[in-house]
Amino acid sequence: MEMGTALKGTVHGRTVELDEEVVPLDGQRVLVVLEPIPEETLPGSEAADEWRTWVQRGPQGPIEDEGEPEFP
């Protein structure tokens, strides 16, 4: 892990639970800068899956086109 690496986690009162361990800094005092992540942001694995699907389906992306919408 490099110095200045951004990690994600969840705040619980005065505790921040990170999504991964930070072994090299265990027991050391650190500076923590908090920035909320918008709810619509997908976790890394889900975002990677969506990109993979988009690449496999080509320029049309993962959205299946049912043709032109019909209006009454």
Side-chain angles (χ1 to χ4, degrees), residues 1-7 14-18 20-34:
M1 181 183 83
E2 293 181 31
M3 296 304 282
T5 299
L7 298 174
R14 293 177 57 175
T15 302
V16 177
E17 181 181 340
L18 298 174
E20 58 186 81
E21 290 187 33
V22 189
V23 177
L25 298 175
D26 192 29
Q28 295 185 30
R29 289 182 51 83
V30 296
L31 172 64
V32 178
V33 178
L34 300 174

